[in-house]
Amino acid sequence: MNVGMCIERVRESASCRNGEDAELLVRAVLGALAPLVPWPAAARLARELPAEWIDALRSARFDDAAGRAVFETRLAGVGVRLDRGVSVLRALARHLDGRARHALAVGLPEELRAPVLAA
């Protein structure tokens, strides 16, 4: 994965001021997604994503009952609108290889899977 290109895509699509803001946004979104991503999927993503991003993704324990409401609540808790969160996930999906993209899809709430993976 080309992290620089992914950050640039996030910066553009989520209207971030600079690359640092885009990276912080990526970490916030992955942190919000953390309870929805099972350990095997996180391990698969760890092969592609920077360690700081994986730390965010592993910041909460997996909760099999978590869904879109949990994701949206966690996003709101860090001041991120859902549309910006989806922009980040869409940018990530575009830059992941097939296996990692599938691992990301596993954690996505079903209603967000198609919009994100249609990237």
Side-chain angles (χ1 to χ4, degrees):
M1 171 178 184
N2 184 322
V3 174
M5 287 180 68
C6 183
I7 288 294
E8 183 58 26
R9 185 174 301 271
V10 169
R11 189 190 67 70
E12 291 172 0
S13 67
S15 302
C16 296
R17 289 180 293 158
N18 55 43
E20 288 177 16
D21 284 350
E23 181 147 351
L24 289 173
L25 180 59
V26 169
R27 288 189 213 166
V29 171
L30 290 174
L33 190 63
L36 285 74
V37 180
W39 182 86
R44 172 73 65 191
L45 286 164
R47 295 179 186 160
E48 290 251 354
L49 301 179
E52 301 83 22
W53 297 7
I54 292 302
D55 288 346
L57 192 59
R58 292 182 172 160
S59 64
R61 293 181 65 125
F62 173 66
D63 178 359
D64 196 35
R68 183 176 177 155
V70 169
F71 178 59
E72 288 180 7
T73 298
R74 289 177 60 92
L75 277 178
V78 292
V80 176
R81 293 185 329 262
L82 180 61
D83 63 321
R84 291 186 85 208
V86 170
S87 291
V88 167
L89 294 171
R90 190 174 292 134
L92 280 173
R94 283 186 171 188
H95 290 279
L96 293 171
D97 73 13
R99 290 180 183 207
R101 189 176 165 134
H102 175 74
L104 177 66
V106 166
L108 294 174
E110 188 152 340
E111 7 0 303
L112 296 180
R113 206 169 283 151
V116 167
L117 297 179

